[in-house]
Amino acid sequence: MNLMSPVLRILSRRLGISVIVLIGVSMLIFAIARVIPGDPARIALGPNATDDQVAAIRAEMHLDEPIVAQYGYFVADVLRGDLGESLYTNRRVTTDIAEFLPATLELVIVAGFMMVAIGLPLGILAARHRGRWPDHVVRVLTLLTVSAPSFVWAVILMLLFSFYLPLFPVAGRLNDSYDIARTTGFLTVDTLLAGNFAAFIDALHHLILPAIALALSGIGQAARLTRANMVETYDKPYIEMAQAFGFFPSRIARRYAFKPSLIPSLTIIGLDFAAMLGNAFLVEAVFAWPGLSRYGVAVILRKDLNAIMGTVLVIALTFLVVNIIVDLLIAFLNPRIRHSTRATS
């Protein structure tokens, strides 16, 4: 109970802030989407539509009313769980999001796992051997990964491992020969639920290259931050005392140096993970990955107002959820935060 009480206070405070942020994001994007040049009704109907048809669509979307009234209609619809109809797909925006979001989440989750599973050990390795060849190799590799954006790595990986060395598929999520029921939208999960292990391997095969392309920058960032924080921690007196007592270097790195160094790194790793949702659209475009980020770019180019708002709100909500989880993890790892929260309450 002593642990859960401050954690619940942190959670309630972060939830309150998140609601305010969501309202601010919705107002900002709503205003920006309205001032972008171009009539969404005319774009949706095409150049051959009559003025009466365009006027009817504008009235249906409340575009002929003041922007404050338009925002009021939007908020009322959102509170009912209705994001409107997409002029791009002629379907409900909620239906589109339900179809495209799992693909992006699957890609981002696998990329995030790679970022943590590869980046943190590389940072630990570099810190343990600072000034020696493993440190130099890791620093060069991480510098390369953070120097190029994800879409550049996507093109490079595709050229190397799909064309010159045809080891991985070029595009898509699953071979057309497999007919898998979409239960969760995560194909690696749905193929296992269907009991089709061959389809699971194929889905994983399609997932590896885009996930690596999306994760490489985060891997470099995580490794560099972990190394920098652990190098600073190694200069602390308690580390010197542990070394004087003859503890194994691996134990010192794992138990006494890594955990304190993880706390500042965790915030940046969480932000990088959440930012992958927005950065995924170029990787999805290169690999023809049918995800929400690619859908978001398409609806922006067509000024599909309902779809733009729905996509941005979902990405913002996911970003906020990840930040809340990171804050809770930091509070769990750092007792000073829990005690300071308890003292101020």
Side-chain angles (χ1 to χ4, degrees):
M1 187 65 183
N2 291 335
L3 173 63
M4 290 303 299
S5 181
V7 169
L8 289 176
R9 280 194 288 269
I10 293 173
L11 178 60
S12 61
R13 191 160 57 234
R14 293 296 186 272
L15 287 175
I17 294 173
S18 298
V19 171
I20 297 173
V21 171
L22 276 178
I23 294 173
V25 168
S26 68
M27 295 175 65
L28 180 63
I29 299 301
F30 191 89
I32 292 175
R34 262 61 181 178
V35 300
I36 295 175
D39 185 353
R42 173 63 68 180
I43 294 173
L45 295 175
N48 297 324
T50 64
D51 292 339
D52 291 339
Q53 291 173 324
V54 173
I57 291 293
R58 287 181 58 82
E60 182 181 341
M61 299 177 62
H62 307 290
L63 296 176
D64 53 351
E65 299 186 34
I67 189 170
V68 176
Q70 294 179 41
Y71 184 72
Y73 285 117
F74 168 75
V75 172
D77 289 339
V78 169
L79 292 177
R80 293 195 302 267
D82 182 11
L83 293 173
E85 185 172 320
S86 169
L87 300 177
Y88 169 53
T89 61
N90 293 320
R91 300 188 304 178
R92 308 304 297 177
V93 174
T94 50
T95 302
D96 289 339
I97 291 175
E99 177 180 337
F100 296 118
L101 180 60
T104 296
L105 286 180
E106 185 176 39
L107 176 61
V108 168
I109 289 172
V110 173
F113 175 79
M114 290 180 176
M115 177 176 65
V116 174
I118 300 174
L120 294 184
L122 284 178
I124 295 172
L125 177 66
R128 282 187 58 189
H129 302 280
R130 56 177 171 169
R132 288 179 280 176
W133 70 265
D135 183 23
H136 298 315
V137 171
V138 171
R139 293 173 71 180
V140 170
L141 290 176
T142 55
L143 182 61
L144 287 174
T145 59
V146 300
S147 298
S150 297
F151 75 91
V152 173
W153 288 116
V155 174
I156 292 173
L157 291 173
M158 178 180 286
L159 290 175
L160 287 177
F161 299 107
S162 294
F163 290 101
Y164 295 116
L165 298 173
L167 301 175
F168 293 94
V170 176
R173 299 181 66 197
L174 190 68
N175 193 291
D176 294 335
S177 61
Y178 297 107
D179 185 17
I180 302 296
R182 306 299 172 94
T183 305
T184 65
F186 293 80
L187 285 183
T188 50
V189 176
D190 291 341
T191 51
L192 290 177
L193 291 177
N196 194 331
F197 189 72
F200 168 76
I201 296 298
D202 186 74
L204 198 61
H205 207 212
H206 281 78
L207 183 59
I208 289 175
L209 279 190
I212 292 175
L214 189 59
L216 275 175
S217 179
I219 289 172
Q221 184 82 330
R224 290 166 65 88
L225 284 170
T226 303
R227 179 199 176 275
N229 293 327
M230 285 190 65
V231 166
E232 184 179 351
T233 304
Y234 267 115
D235 294 330
K236 301 292 184 181
Y238 66 88
I239 298 293
E240 296 178 359
M241 185 175 67
Q243 292 171 337
F245 274 103
F247 291 169
F248 288 112
S250 58
R251 181 183 178 186
I252 294 175
R254 183 179 64 255
R255 180 170 295 184
Y256 301 111
F258 175 63
K259 185 177 178 180
S261 304
L262 178 62
I263 294 172
S265 300
L266 196 59
T267 302
I268 305 301
I269 291 173
L271 292 175
D272 284 344
F273 179 82
M276 285 182 183
L277 278 172
N279 297 335
F281 74 93
L282 287 172
V283 174
E284 291 183 353
V286 172
F287 288 98
W289 191 267
L292 184 67
S293 298
R294 187 181 176 200
Y295 168 79
V297 174
V299 297
I300 288 173
L301 294 176
R302 290 163 177 80
K303 201 178 179 183
D304 188 346
L305 300 182
N306 292 333
I308 291 173
M309 291 299 302
T311 303
V312 171
L313 285 179
V314 168
I315 292 177
L317 181 61
T318 306
F319 195 94
L320 292 171
V321 169
V322 171
N323 276 287
I324 290 174
I325 294 173
V326 169
D327 287 339
L328 294 177
L329 287 175
I330 291 175
F332 179 77
L333 292 172
N334 191 348
R336 289 180 296 179
I337 295 179
R338 298 198 300 269
H339 295 321
S340 64
T341 304
R342 187 182 308 156
T344 57
S345 61

